[in-house]
Each structure stands twice: as C-alpha cells, then as structure tokens.
Amino acid sequence: MTVPESGAGAPQSGAPGAPLPGGPLNAAERAAERFTDGEWHRLHPATPLLRGGIVFIAVLGFVLSNLRERLVSFFVGAPDLGGDPIDAIYTHGWEGWALLGVAVVLFGCLAAFYVSWRLHSFRITDDAVEVRSGILFRTQRKARLDRIQGINVARPLLARIFGAAKLEISVAGHDANVTLAYLGSVLADGLRSDVLRLASGMRETETAAPAGALPATSSRAAQVGDFVGRRIDDFLAPELDPNAAPPESVVKIPPLRLAGSLVLSGFTVFVAVVIVLLAIGSAGGAPWLLIVVLPGLIGSASFYINRFTKSLRYSIAGTPDGVRVGFGLLNLSNETLPPGRIHAVEVLQPLLWRPFGWWQIRIDTAGHTREKGAAGQPNTTMLPVGDQADVAKVLSLVLPDFTAEHDAAILEGMTSRGRDAFTGSPRRAIWLRPLSWQRTGFRMVDGAVLLRRGFVWRSLAVVPLARLQSLELQQGPLDRLLGLAEARFHTVSGPVHPRLGAMDAATGEQLFETVAVRAVQAATADRSHRWRVAPEVDSTPHQRPTEEDA
C-alpha cells in the first residue's frame, strides 16, 4: 500500500499565483484570520462561567436549598416546621443583613469574574502564541510555532451548550502547554487551522470578498431560534469535519468490537480474580470482605462505561496539516498532530485479543495534551482497538513516507513467528528468551527501523530514523557470556520503549553503525517542521542506502 504523506497531492509550489497547499480557506478559517494579526484578543464571554462560575452557582444553589422552607413560607404561607440551618438569622431579624451580604458576595464574585475575563487575553503572531492572565499575580505563557507538537480542541458538555470550546496547544517541555479556554466553537476550529498554517511555514492569503448587500436584521425570536439550531447541529455533527478530513481515511470502531476489547482487558482479569477471592473469603466466614470490596466492584462499572462512551465516536483522518484524532460522545475532543511530531510507534496485541485479530497502536510525542484520549486512555493511544486493515490505515497516516515496503514488513512483524526477513536472535538466546527468541528481531526499511519482540504479548515498534535521539548498545554479564547484546533506541519519553535484547553482539555492532549513518541522513533530509514549504531543489546526486548496509 502506497500512501502519500499528509498534505501530499496538494501543490507545493511557492511561485506567485500558484495554488497553495490545503485549498482555499473555509468559513471558519476566514473568520479566525482577524485573530492572527498579532494584537491581543479576549476569550469567549462565557469563559468565567465555564472556568469557575459553575462552582459559584453550586454554592448559591446550596444556600437556596437551605432557604427553601423560608421561601415557601414567604410565597405560599406554609407553616414554620423549624429545623432550618439559618433559623438564627430569621429569629434575630437579620434577614436584611443576610441578603445584603449575599448580594455583596454575589456582586464581588461577578466583578472578579469580569475583571479576570478582561485581563485574560491572547495573541497570535507569525512565530508564537501568547496568553496572559491573572489579577494579582500576572502570568504570561508563550508557545513558539516551530515547537508545536499538537493542537487539541476539547468541547466539554457544558461548553457545548454555550457554543464554546477549549483550544490547547501542546509544545515540548514539562508543563509548557498553552491553553485558550474558552473560545467560540467555530473560532477554535478556525484558529487551529490558522495556527497550523503559520507553523507550517506558509500562510494562505485571500482577497477580500466583494461587499454585497447587508443582511437583513432578524428578530430576537429568529436569533434565539438560530442559536438553538446551531447548538442542535453542534451536538449532532460528526466529530471530524468531512471537508477537513476525507471520510474514506477515517477508521471506525464497531461498538461490539469496542465492548469486546474492554471485556477482554487486563482490568477484567483483575476484577474476575477479585470476585473469585471475594467469593472464597465470604464462604470461609469473612463476610466483611464483601463490605470492603463491593463498593470498588460497583465503581468498576463506571470504568467500563467511561471508556466505552469515550470511544463511540472515535475517528482518525489525515489532513493537510497532519493527523487528526477525535473521540467522545458527550465531551468531545480532537487533536491534530503536525507531520514529524511522532517519534516512535508501537503496534501491540494483548494475549486475549489474539483470537480476534485485534491490535492497538501507541505513539511517543514530545508534547502531550492534558485531555484523556479515546477509551479514557492517554492521548498517546492512536488506535484503541482495530484489525490489521485498521492498523495499516493508521500507520499510513502517522508514519512519513509510508510505502508498500513498510506495509509488508509491518504485517510480517505483527504476525510472523520468526525466521523471516527480520534479523533474529541466535539460537543461544533461548537461555534468556525461552519463548520469544525466534520472534525477537529487527529490520531496516527506508527511513525507519522495525523492532519485533514478544511471544505471549506481541509488540512491534517502529522508530523513524529522523526522530531518533541516540542509540545505546548494552551488555550485561549474561549477555557477555552468551555473546549477546541489547540495543536501546532513545526517543522522547512516552509509552513506547524501543529496545531489542538477546541479539548477536556482532550484529548489534553492525546495527549501531548502520543506524548512526542512516539517522544522520534522515535528519538532514527531513523537512517536516515546515511541511507546507516547497523543498529546495538539490541537484547533487545522493546515493540511497542499500540493504547490504544493514
């Protein structure tokens, strides 16, 4: 399977008048352009309510619930039954002071929310996104566009009611993310596209549309109806915009497969063991175990429900600005990972999934959004569960220059039991890997190295050489005794740990030299950080490494 890189197929010419990558700006991107002028702008007017006002409303509701008897007595003349927590206020005639205090607190909170909103602003320049906030203690965060690792748009349920969304820009570094919470829902999508255009090294400009007749002023009822209609459309709309993510590239997870993957998980095994031990303990005269463990077992039901609902609308698709992953039923979230931000990929298969041919894909990235990903898992899970066809589709999106060679090699690495085109471990490795020594091996493909391991829990790691930080060759006492070595491929921290043990020491040294050369070549030729800029034509001939180099 040969799949073009994200954005491939779009003209890359930078000549005047040539069509620019990604096509013309859509309505959301055109509306967001005025927010990328380098000036400071404010967030959505409902931001104070969404960020902290809900807690205030909850406290106010608690106070009113305690006043319910007095309110009923005041309006309908019900008898005083006593027992109200604020009887002392009524007895001493402090109602006026109490109401004045509530009004002062209410006004103070509203004033604080308003001032906080006024002082919370952002600006987008040609090279950075900045956010400043705070009343007494001012903070200012800045994310450089060339360091952006991903942009996530989250739409919590309450924010969707107000037509708002949260835009989180992930950058490399600890606690370095920049969050715009909250923006208008359409504006958040437009700003994401515009920021990615700026980060790609090219910004499309459009001539202003000719001025036409002014729209007719609608009535207030029509405006309310239009607002309600937009909110209904927002709840029913697909997670990924079909105009930005081609439907044919989206992977769908059938509900039965999703439910089956949750049931056949390690957590289910743990719950089953707890239930068995609970039954044995209760039968042996320890009924107190039921009281201690039963609440936890009931709570485990929420674990399954949360993971199931989060993946019901899972989708992944390629866009001109990278891979976009969406998920969620009530609380929606979708993240765009620009090209070149994925440092390692792992395809793994738990033991209980093997009869069904299900696989999971995880990745390593330098930046991480605070939002949980599909199935409630970290956002590094690109595919919660899928078959071999789904794996091929996802890998064609996340791996640069994915070709038929990669496809065949990855399929072989996923399903083969060993002794194939992969360079495997010698027979003497059986002392260290009695079950998996035949499956343990590596294979060099164009631009990447594949690491296969595991017999019970199968795993295949793919490391793009352009993203490799360093390579370590290690030998322990038993390795030296058996003439073996372990190779560790260092990338950014994450769930993927690319390493390969129990390999022949001489083969390991050869691999070390080959990877060192190819990694430098791949990093030199890599232009993914400016994926929309046309590459410079280089007339110098380059010799492509051959398989004999490995």
Side-chain angles (χ1 to χ4, degrees):
M1 178 197 322
T2 302
V3 180
E5 187 178 358
S6 296
Q12 296 292 328
S13 173
L20 297 176
L25 298 179
N26 57 38
E29 294 166 345
R30 190 180 300 108
E33 271 199 312
R34 66 185 183 91
F35 290 89
T36 58
D37 55 2
E39 301 296 330
W40 292 99
H41 300 276
R42 294 191 180 92
L43 301 173
H44 193 280
T47 296
L49 180 65
L50 297 173
R51 297 192 64 183
I54 297 301
V55 177
F56 170 73
I57 292 177
V59 173
L60 183 62
F62 175 77
V63 173
L64 292 177
S65 67
N66 284 278
L67 284 170
R68 61 188 182 276
E69 287 85 0
R70 295 303 174 195
L71 293 175
V72 172
S73 176
F74 178 79
F75 287 105
V76 301
D80 184 7
L81 302 178
D84 195 281
I86 57 173
D87 275 340
I89 296 177
Y90 182 78
T91 303
H92 294 82
W94 295 340
E95 298 91 334
W97 291 106
L99 292 176
L100 179 61
V102 171
V104 170
V105 172
L106 177 61
F107 179 79
C109 290
L110 292 177
F113 289 155
Y114 176 75
V115 173
S116 175
W117 173 74
R118 294 278 299 182
L119 296 179
H120 195 161
S121 57
F122 71 95
R123 72 175 177 181
I124 301 175
T125 64
D126 291 337
D127 58 358
V129 178
E130 299 179 64
V131 177
R132 60 186 184 186
S133 60
I135 300 178
L136 298 179
F137 300 95
R138 299 285 290 167
T139 61
Q140 184 164 339
R141 304 178 72 91
K142 181 177 182 179
R144 288 176 50 186
L145 296 182
D146 58 351
R147 294 293 183 266
I148 289 178
Q149 304 298 313
I151 300 182
N152 182 69
V153 176
R155 294 179 173 87
L157 179 60
L158 185 62
R160 294 173 66 191
I161 297 176
F162 289 89
K166 177 168 62 176
L167 182 72
E168 183 178 4
I169 301 174
S170 304
V171 294
H174 176 68
D175 194 27
N177 292 3
V178 170
T179 303
L180 304 181
Y182 289 80
L183 300 167
S185 184
V186 177
L187 175 60
D189 287 329
L191 277 181
R192 170 169 58 184
S193 299
D194 218 12
V195 169
L196 288 172
R197 287 177 185 271
L198 291 172
S200 69
M202 179 178 293
R203 178 177 182 179
E204 181 174 358
T205 58
E206 288 189 344
T207 57
L214 294 176
T217 304
S218 58
S219 64
R220 183 173 299 274
Q223 293 176 357
V224 173
D226 183 57
F227 176 81
V228 175
R230 289 198 304 268
R231 297 289 71 78
I232 294 176
D233 292 340
D234 179 61
F235 274 85
L236 299 179
E239 174 55 29
L240 295 184
D241 182 5
N243 296 322
E248 62 270 14
S249 65
V250 176
V251 172
K252 300 296 183 181
I253 301 180
L256 290 179
R257 180 193 299 172
L258 176 60
S261 67
L262 295 177
V263 172
L264 300 176
S265 63
F267 184 76
T268 300
V269 175
F270 170 76
V271 171
V273 171
V274 170
I275 292 176
V276 171
L277 295 178
L278 179 63
I280 295 175
S282 299
W288 58 270
L289 287 175
L290 184 63
I291 302 176
V292 173
V293 179
L294 187 59
L297 293 178
I298 296 176
S300 64
S302 64
F303 168 83
Y304 289 107
I305 295 174
N306 181 54
R307 289 206 165 187
F308 183 77
T309 55
K310 271 188 172 292
S311 290
L312 278 180
R313 299 181 70 183
Y314 167 86
S315 53
I316 180 171
T319 72
D321 292 306
V323 183
R324 186 183 297 179
V325 183
F327 56 87
L329 181 62
L330 298 178
N331 298 326
L332 304 183
S333 177
N334 61 73
E335 182 176 15
T336 300
L337 300 173
R341 268 58 175 183
I342 297 176
H343 292 248
V345 183
E346 183 180 30
V347 184
L348 66 153
Q349 185 183 62
L351 177 63
L352 298 178
W353 289 9
R354 189 175 302 178
F356 305 94
W358 296 339
W359 298 82
Q360 186 179 88
I361 298 180
R362 302 185 300 185
I363 62 170
D364 280 349
T365 59
H368 304 282
T369 177
R370 298 181 180 90
E371 298 292 328
K372 289 293 184 180
Q377 299 169 343
N379 69 317
T380 51
T381 301
M382 293 294 287
L383 179 65
V385 57
D387 54 22
Q388 291 183 8
D390 296 334
V391 169
K393 290 180 181 179
V394 173
L395 292 182
S396 68
L397 296 176
V398 303
L399 293 178
D401 303 321
F402 191 85
T403 64
E405 179 191 10
H406 294 81
D407 192 11
I410 288 173
L411 179 61
E412 191 175 45
M414 290 166 54
T415 59
S416 176
R417 296 185 178 181
R419 296 298 176 251
D420 45 28
F422 277 70
T423 302
S425 300
R427 184 173 294 274
R428 59 183 180 275
I430 194 173
W431 296 101
L432 298 180
R433 303 283 193 276
L435 297 178
S436 63
W437 71 275
Q438 293 190 73
R439 264 190 55 86
T440 302
F442 71 92
R443 180 174 175 179
M444 300 291 298
V445 295
D446 188 20
V449 58
L450 278 58
L451 309 175
R452 181 180 65 190
R453 60 182 180 178
F455 175 78
V456 179
W457 286 274
R458 294 177 176 176
S459 170
L460 177 69
V462 183
V463 182
L465 295 179
R467 307 272 80 80
L468 184 63
Q469 305 293 320
S470 64
L471 175 61
E472 177 185 3
L473 204 61
Q474 189 179 76
Q475 265 191 326
L478 293 180
D479 289 329
R480 288 198 298 270
L481 181 64
L482 296 173
L484 303 175
E486 180 182 9
R488 297 186 177 184
F489 295 77
H490 296 161
T491 63
V492 297
S493 61
V496 183
H497 303 284
R499 62 181 62 182
L500 192 67
M503 61 187 306
D504 181 73
T507 304
E509 294 176 2
Q510 249 183 351
L511 175 66
F512 186 91
E513 298 295 334
T514 303
V515 169
V517 173
R518 292 196 180 187
V520 172
Q521 294 175 347
T524 303
D526 181 57
R527 294 292 182 272
S528 59
H529 59 289
R530 287 291 186 264
W531 60 93
R532 286 181 182 266
V533 176
E536 297 180 359
V537 178
D538 188 0
S539 58
T540 305
H542 296 278
Q543 183 177 1
R544 180 177 175 177
T546 61
E547 288 294 333
E548 286 74 10
D549 294 336

